[in-house]
Amino acid sequence: MASTLTKDPSASAGEKTFLGHPRGLANLFMTEMWERYSYYGMRALLVLYLAANVADGGLGMKDATAVAIYSVYNAMVYLLALPGGWLGDRVWGARKATAIAGVIIMTGHFLLAIPVDGLFFVGLGFIAVGSGLLKSNISTMVGQLYTDKNDPRRDGGFTIFYMGINLGAFVAPLTIGWVGQKVDWHLGFAMAGVGMGIGLLFYFLGFRHLAEESSKVPAPLTAEERSSLIRKALIWLGVAAAGYAIVGLAGVFSEDWVLWPLTIIGLLLPPWYLLKIKRDKDLSPLERSRMSGFIWFFVAATAFWTIYDQGGSVLSLFGKNDTQDALFGFEFPTTWFQSLNPLFVMALAPVFAMLWVALFKRNREPSTISKFAIALLVIGGSFGVMTVAQMLASDGTKVSPMWLVSVYFLMTVGELCLSPVGLSLTTKLAPEKYASQMMGVWFLAITTGSSIVSLLQLVGAPTTHPVWFAGLGVVAALGGVAIFTSRAKVKALMSGVN
């Protein structure tokens, strides 16, 4: 670390910086890297552990149930980012909220490490709650390190921070995935807990380097609001506890009693929240028009994430059941496929950044709408490739790993066309009243997409049939064509935002 600490002319006398950025960025970088290490390491094991035979130490669930649980878990992580951000803004402040989140996440991973089925699902709940809380607050603290909103180092600081995400996501399946799949599932989950613990250590050691603003509550609840919130929370908690107590005493409880309600919430809450914002009477006609434009992009993103986030579930099971686990004589655990996406992101992100700049200078850079269309066509094409791979594997033949490598590559290309652009677009289209909430609203597209996959699994759609991949691929591609052919209408709704 010493070699990365330098003196910066803009810093106070004697103040050390991290690669020319505020010193606190180093601690937030390490915290995020290790948190993502724990998150993606556990996620690489999740669907495989759920579907593995009991004799192999797994839970022996049907593939469809395993995919539904994975999808609901993923949906809840992003859904809970909204209340997570609210807690940071109104109750704890970003610094305290992130600390609490890290402890909750670490506790969840260690609960997964205990070989008791009931504790496993409690642990998943802890990780989902903690991840939602952390996701919405740690990025806020990165921005708070730069007291001047126009600080030219600001974008570079976020770039460094997001590199931590991909480094953690890349290394996690190679280590946690290997230990969990080849040695012991629960030891792998414990490694994830240790990873979060290391992240917390870096975080607490760096408290003195964080912006003072991060310890403040921007808009604290009044005593009346706090009492009302507690009362409503207890009422809803009591209703849920009573309902599940009745189901349990009746002896009919199964995972469906959890999966169905959470899936429905994930499907209904995002569109309800979008419409709530759009119909807010405080919004100007211009803001309402831009929200209408945003809805087009939200629907397109939902179609994209519906396919993309199957990379850790449906494709993971395809890798285990239908793909050779050796290449050029080298054998590897199938969890290693999960390292392909972050590897491709790190390799291709600079290329795409330079590409957009080069095209812009020639006045040929695709518009935001065109980039979304390209992303949908590419992600649809990835499932076109999967359709062929599934057909080749239908007679029991295990296909080459290069099929999945190609699919993950295409998914990453689509991601780089949609995700960074979508984040930027959201900040531009956000109504002033909802400026701090709209980033959480953007992530709700992931919640909706994962909930769609869960719903399809709960009603019995087969993920091991070529029709699954062909159908979703065609829907995504048609979505890309639809948004491209409607670009004039969408551009008009955006009212001057490019």
Side-chain angles (χ1 to χ4, degrees):
M1 185 66 71
S3 62
T4 64
L5 296 177
T6 61
K7 297 284 185 65
D8 182 66
S10 65
S12 302
E15 181 185 348
K16 292 182 178 180
T17 62
F18 173 66
L19 299 176
H21 292 266
R23 176 66 178 84
L25 182 63
N27 296 88
L28 294 178
F29 172 92
M30 296 299 290
T31 302
E32 180 73 356
M33 185 186 75
W34 283 105
E35 186 274 329
R36 292 290 88 182
Y37 174 83
S38 72
Y39 178 82
Y40 284 103
M42 185 281 292
R43 212 173 77 157
L45 295 175
L46 180 55
V47 76
L48 299 176
Y49 171 70
L50 293 171
N53 295 328
V54 175
D56 296 327
L59 294 186
M61 293 183 173
K62 295 179 180 178
D63 285 0
T65 304
V67 171
I69 291 173
Y70 174 97
S71 300
V72 164
Y73 163 75
N74 197 55
M76 291 303 106
V77 167
Y78 289 94
L79 178 63
L80 290 167
L82 264 183
W86 183 87
L87 286 168
D89 287 340
R90 305 296 308 274
V91 181
W92 291 319
R95 185 185 299 192
K96 186 175 181 180
T98 300
I100 293 171
V103 172
I104 293 173
I105 293 169
M106 183 176 65
T107 302
H109 284 301
F110 284 128
L111 287 174
L112 265 57
I114 302 172
V116 177
D117 293 357
L119 289 179
F120 181 86
F121 293 104
V122 173
L124 273 186
F126 269 65
I127 298 169
V129 170
S131 297
L133 182 59
L134 186 140
K135 178 177 290 293
S136 49
N137 286 287
I138 193 168
S139 295
T140 298
M141 286 193 292
V142 174
Q144 290 170 341
L145 292 172
Y146 304 90
T147 54
D148 182 357
K149 302 298 183 185
N150 296 315
D151 191 323
R153 301 174 298 166
R154 189 182 181 91
D155 288 350
F158 273 99
T159 300
I160 294 171
F161 178 72
Y162 286 122
M163 280 299 293
I165 294 174
N166 287 294
L167 282 172
F170 170 69
V171 176
L174 301 178
T175 53
I176 294 175
W178 180 81
V179 170
Q181 193 175 6
K182 294 297 185 180
V183 181
D184 182 84
W185 298 107
H186 297 285
L187 182 58
F189 294 134
M191 285 179 64
V194 171
M196 186 66 253
I198 295 173
L200 277 173
L201 179 62
F202 276 104
Y203 183 64
F204 290 133
L205 289 175
F207 258 26
R208 67 186 184 277
H209 301 299
L210 301 178
E212 187 61 33
E213 185 183 356
S214 68
S215 62
K216 299 176 181 177
V217 181
L221 289 173
T222 64
E224 183 179 347
E225 287 175 325
R226 188 181 294 269
S227 297
S228 175
L229 178 67
I230 293 173
R231 183 171 63 253
K232 290 177 181 178
L234 289 175
I235 290 173
W236 282 107
L237 184 61
V239 169
Y244 280 108
I246 293 171
V247 172
L249 291 172
V252 295
F253 180 81
S254 69
E255 61 268 8
D256 283 356
W257 283 93
V258 177
L259 293 175
W260 272 104
L262 293 180
T263 297
I264 292 170
I265 289 171
L267 288 170
L268 297 183
L269 195 146
W272 171 82
Y273 200 72
L274 272 175
L275 291 175
K276 176 178 177 291
I277 294 175
K278 185 179 182 300
R279 293 176 178 175
D280 190 329
K281 294 180 180 179
D282 291 340
L283 266 58
S284 67
L286 178 66
E287 289 176 324
R288 288 186 183 180
S289 176
R290 287 178 175 174
M291 277 304 300
S292 296
F294 178 81
I295 290 173
W296 277 82
F297 292 102
F298 184 90
V299 172
T302 295
F304 179 88
W305 297 118
T306 298
I307 290 179
Y308 181 90
D309 276 325
Q310 292 181 55
S313 57
V314 173
L315 298 193
S316 185
L317 289 172
F318 182 84
K320 177 179 178 292
N321 300 326
D322 300 296
T323 306
Q324 299 168 11
D325 59 356
L327 189 64
F328 305 122
F330 175 75
E331 292 188 9
F332 55 90
T334 53
T335 49
W336 284 17
F337 283 117
Q338 300 304 305
S339 287
L340 288 173
N341 171 252
L343 175 63
F344 288 144
V345 167
M346 289 187 289
L348 295 178
V351 176
F352 270 74
M354 290 187 290
L355 174 64
W356 299 142
V357 171
L359 290 174
F360 175 78
K361 290 178 178 178
R362 292 168 174 79
N363 200 30
R364 298 184 66 180
E365 181 185 7
S367 66
T368 298
I369 301 169
S370 297
K371 289 176 182 177
F372 266 66
I374 292 169
L376 286 172
L377 289 170
V378 171
I379 201 77
S382 75
F383 260 34
V385 174
M386 273 305 304
T387 302
V388 178
Q390 184 65 70
M391 290 172 66
L392 293 174
S394 60
D395 62 354
T397 302
K398 291 202 170 189
V399 301
S400 165
M402 295 308 297
W403 284 98
L404 278 180
V405 172
S406 301
V407 171
Y408 283 114
F409 177 82
L410 288 173
M411 285 182 160
T412 304
V413 170
E415 177 190 4
L416 292 172
C417 289
L418 180 138
S419 187
V421 177
L423 290 169
S424 176
L425 179 72
T426 300
T427 62
K428 295 176 183 178
L429 295 178
E432 184 177 352
K433 181 178 177 179
Y434 296 95
S436 61
Q437 298 181 43
M438 282 299 290
M439 200 59 71
V441 173
W442 165 253
F443 286 125
L444 288 182
I446 302 176
T447 294
T448 309
S450 292
S451 297
I452 289 171
V453 176
S454 175
L455 177 66
L456 291 173
Q457 292 306 282
L458 291 173
V459 299
T463 58
T464 55
H465 196 283
V467 171
W468 171 269
F469 300 106
L472 290 176
V474 167
V475 169
L478 290 176
V481 173
I483 194 171
F484 183 76
T485 55
S486 303
R487 61 191 182 279
K489 178 181 179 180
V490 178
K491 187 175 181 180
L493 291 171
M494 293 165 68
S495 303
V497 171
N498 296 316

